[in-house]
Amino acid sequence: MEDIYAKFVSQKISKTRWRPVPPGSLQTADTFAVGSWDNEENYVSLWSIGDFGNLDSDGGFEGDHQLLCDIRHHGDVMDLQFFDQERIVAASSTGCVTVFLHHPNNQTLSVSQQWTAAHYHTGPGSPSCGSAPCTGIVCSNPEIVTVGEDGRINLFRVDHKEAVRTIDNADSSTLHAVTFLRTPEILTVNSIGQLKIWDFRKQGNEPSQILSLTGDRVPLHCVDRHPNQQHVVATGGQDGMLSIWDVRQGTMPVSLLKAHEAEMWEVHFHPSNPDHLFTCSEDGSLWHWDASTDVPEKSSLFNQGGRNSSFLSHSISSQTNVHQSLISSWLSTDPAKDRIEITSLLPSRTLSVNSLDVLGPCLVCGTDSEAIYVTRQLFS
C-alpha cells in the first residue's frame, strides 16, 4: 500500500466520512467530511484531498488536504453521515440532530434542518433539561434513524418537522450504534453487549430479535452490515474483539477474533470489496483485515513492518448447511485454519483513532492527536 499521509488540524477528530460518489460515476473519492469533539469549539468541516506533499519531521508524509468550508457545531460530533451528495447529518452530545447543506458555488455549509431534542433523559432523577447524547445515525434517503444514550430510537424523514416514529424505551441501556439490515429493518448495538433487530413495519416497542454473547456484557460500540449479504454483520466493543454475526443463525456470533488492545471504535466492510474489513481503536491502531480467498500462502501472523505477533481466533459454529459458494468469506472462514491477513496501516501508534471510512481505493481516519490520515491506494 502507498504511504498514508497526515494532516494536523488542531482539533480532536471524532468522525471522518467520504462524500459518496454519484452512482455509475468512475471518479474516485475526493472530498470528505470531518467532525470534531472535546474542543472549546467544535466544527463540521469539508475537505478536499488535494496533492500529497513531502516528508514531515516524524518521517511520515504530510498531506495537502485542503479545507473547503466549516461550520460551528454545538456539542461534540458523536456521529456523521452523508445523506446525499450535498447534505451531511450530524449527531450531537447535546441530543440534537442537524442536517447541514453544502453550497459548492461559494463553498459554505448551512443548517438545512434540525431536531433539537431528538434525545433526552426523562423520569425521576433526570435533570429538567436532561438532554442525552445522540450516539449514532444511519441514513437511507429519505429516512434518518438516530439512537442515543437515552435508549430511544427515532425515525426521521428529511423535510418532516417531527419524528415519523419513535420507540421511546427501546433499550434500558445506552444504544451506541445503528445500521440498516433491509430498509424497514434496523440493527442496534448497546452497552450491555446486545444486538437487537427492529422492524418499523411492526407496532410496539419490542425488538424482533436479540443476539448476544452468552454471559458477556461487554459494551458494543460499533456495527457494520456486509454490503452484499445483509444477514452478515460485524461488531466491535470495549474489549477490542471483532465479532462476525449471521443474524439468520442462532443468537451467538459466528466468529470472535482477538483484535485491539482497547476499545474498538469503528468497523467498516469495504463497500465494494467486502472481503476486506477495517477497524480502529482507542489503542491508536488502524487495521486492514483481508479475508479474500485469493491471497496466496496466507499467514495468520500480524503484519506490521516485518514484526509479527500471534493472532488468536475462535470460531464458534460451523456453517455446514448453507451452500458454500453463497457464503461470505467471513462466515466460511474458520480463522484458525484459513487465516486472515491483518495489516497495520498507521506508521506508528498514535492517540486514539476514533473514526475511519473507506471508499474505492481511498481511506480516511481521524485521531485524538489532532491529525487526519488519508491514503488513495489501499490495494496497491
Side-chain angles (χ1 to χ4, degrees), residues 273-291:
N273 204 346
D275 287 348
H276 297 263
L277 180 141
F278 299 84
T279 60
C280 63
S281 169
E282 176 73 26
D283 67 12
S285 60
L286 170 69
W287 286 3
H288 171 188
W289 304 66
D290 180 359

Side-chain angles (χ1 to χ4, degrees), residues 242 244 255 257 275-277 288-292 295 298-303 311 313 329-330 333-343:
L242 172 65
I244 307 293
S255 299
L257 307 174
D275 287 348
H276 297 263
L277 180 141
H288 171 188
W289 304 66
D290 180 359
S292 60
V295 177
K298 280 245 180 105
S299 158
S300 66
L301 297 177
F302 173 55
N303 303 322
F311 165 52
S313 70
S329 57
W330 296 101
T333 296
D334 176 349
K337 293 197 206 86
D338 291 338
R339 313 296 171 94
I340 295 174
E341 195 170 80
I342 308 171
T343 307

Side-chain angles (χ1 to χ4, degrees), residues 317-362:
S317 62
S318 61
Q319 307 287 324
T320 51
N321 55 346
V322 187
H323 192 269
Q324 281 297 314
S325 66
L326 297 176
I327 295 182
S328 155
S329 57
W330 296 101
L331 298 186
S332 61
T333 296
D334 176 349
K337 293 197 206 86
D338 291 338
R339 313 296 171 94
I340 295 174
E341 195 170 80
I342 308 171
T343 307
S344 174
L345 297 184
L346 291 184
S348 57
R349 282 288 172 96
T350 164
L351 296 177
S352 177
V353 182
N354 296 320
S355 183
L356 74 100
D357 199 22
V358 280
L359 186 60
C362 303

Side-chain angles (χ1 to χ4, degrees), residues 203-264:
Q203 295 307 308
N205 287 3
E206 295 302 315
S208 55
Q209 195 178 343
I210 300 178
L211 302 93
S212 67
L213 195 52
T214 310
D216 257 358
R217 297 226 155 196
V218 177
L220 293 173
H221 291 302
C222 54
V223 60
D224 196 29
R225 187 204 78 195
H226 192 287
N228 308 334
Q229 295 175 310
Q230 295 162 330
H231 53 277
V232 179
V233 294
T235 63
Q238 188 170 299
D239 57 3
M241 299 281 280
L242 172 65
S243 302
I244 307 293
W245 309 72
D246 181 347
V247 300
R248 304 168 308 178
Q249 308 238 345
T251 59
M252 296 275 287
V254 175
S255 299
L256 271 177
L257 307 174
K258 187 171 172 62
H260 299 281
E261 293 162 21
E263 293 92 337
M264 185 188 295

Side-chain angles (χ1 to χ4, degrees), residues 14-332:
S14 57
K15 293 292 160 182
T16 56
R17 299 287 180 253
W18 289 111
R19 183 169 70 187
V21 294
S25 162
L26 295 177
Q27 70 192 72
T28 55
D30 58 4
T31 306
F32 59 89
V34 165
S36 71
W37 83 291
D38 197 27
N39 306 292
E40 283 184 19
E41 291 185 349
N42 290 301
Y43 290 88
V44 169
S45 53
L46 267 183
W47 295 74
S48 163
I49 55 179
D51 296 320
F52 289 130
N54 302 315
L55 283 168
D56 66 14
S57 56
D58 294 335
F61 289 88
E62 179 76 47
D64 189 23
H65 322 324
Q66 300 292 330
L67 176 65
L68 298 177
C69 49
D70 60 10
I71 190 168
R72 281 275 309 276
H73 181 270
H74 186 48
D76 294 339
V77 177
M78 303 291 287
D79 201 2
L80 197 63
Q81 301 290 341
F82 273 91
F83 182 78
D84 55 21
Q85 299 284 115
E86 285 79 39
R87 287 175 287 187
I88 310 164
V89 188
S92 173
S93 56
T94 66
C96 177
V97 176
T98 307
V99 182
F100 294 105
L101 179 63
H102 177 225
H103 307 272
N105 296 341
N106 58 0
Q107 288 300 356
T108 56
L109 284 164
S110 66
V111 174
S112 146
Q113 196 168 356
Q114 203 160 46
W115 296 279
T116 49
H119 293 275
Y120 54 91
H121 291 295
T122 56
S126 58
S128 53
C129 56
S131 65
C134 175
T135 52
I137 43 185
V138 64
C139 304
S140 177
N141 196 340
E143 296 177 333
I144 300 167
V145 177
T146 73
V147 297
E149 204 175 271
D150 53 357
R152 184 176 280 106
I153 299 172
N154 292 307
L155 173 63
F156 294 110
R157 268 201 195 106
V158 160
D159 305 326
H160 282 52
K161 284 203 170 102
E162 303 298 325
V164 179
R165 172 92 186 269
T166 295
I167 303 176
D168 267 328
N169 299 308
D171 213 302
S172 56
S173 58
T174 296
L175 291 169
H176 278 147
V178 59
T179 188
F180 275 106
L181 285 182
R182 287 170 288 280
T183 302
E185 282 188 322
I186 59 163
L187 184 144
T188 59
V189 295
N190 68 14
S191 59
I192 56 171
Q194 294 173 319
L195 289 73
K196 295 184 181 181
I197 297 174
W198 309 82
D199 189 337
F200 284 128
R201 293 167 298 192
K202 295 180 179 169
Q203 295 307 308
N205 287 3
E206 295 302 315
S208 55
Q209 195 178 343
I210 300 178
L211 302 93
S212 67
L213 195 52
T214 310
D216 257 358
R217 297 226 155 196
V218 177
L220 293 173
H221 291 302
C222 54
V223 60
D224 196 29
R225 187 204 78 195
H226 192 287
N228 308 334
Q229 295 175 310
Q230 295 162 330
H231 53 277
V232 179
V233 294
T235 63
Q238 188 170 299
D239 57 3
M241 299 281 280
L242 172 65
S243 302
I244 307 293
W245 309 72
D246 181 347
V247 300
R248 304 168 308 178
Q249 308 238 345
T251 59
M252 296 275 287
V254 175
S255 299
L256 271 177
L257 307 174
K258 187 171 172 62
H260 299 281
E261 293 162 21
E263 293 92 337
M264 185 188 295
W265 292 130
E266 286 194 6
V267 56
H268 292 280
F269 287 102
H270 192 282
S272 54
N273 204 346
D275 287 348
H276 297 263
L277 180 141
F278 299 84
T279 60
C280 63
S281 169
E282 176 73 26
D283 67 12
S285 60
L286 170 69
W287 286 3
H288 171 188
W289 304 66
D290 180 359
S292 60
T293 51
D294 56 355
V295 177
E297 294 301 312
K298 280 245 180 105
S299 158
S300 66
L301 297 177
F302 173 55
N303 303 322
Q304 186 182 32
R307 288 182 300 149
N308 291 328
S309 66
S310 62
F311 165 52
L312 306 176
S313 70
H314 176 45
S315 185
I316 290 177
S317 62
S318 61
Q319 307 287 324
T320 51
N321 55 346
V322 187
H323 192 269
Q324 281 297 314
S325 66
L326 297 176
I327 295 182
S328 155
S329 57
W330 296 101
L331 298 186
S332 61

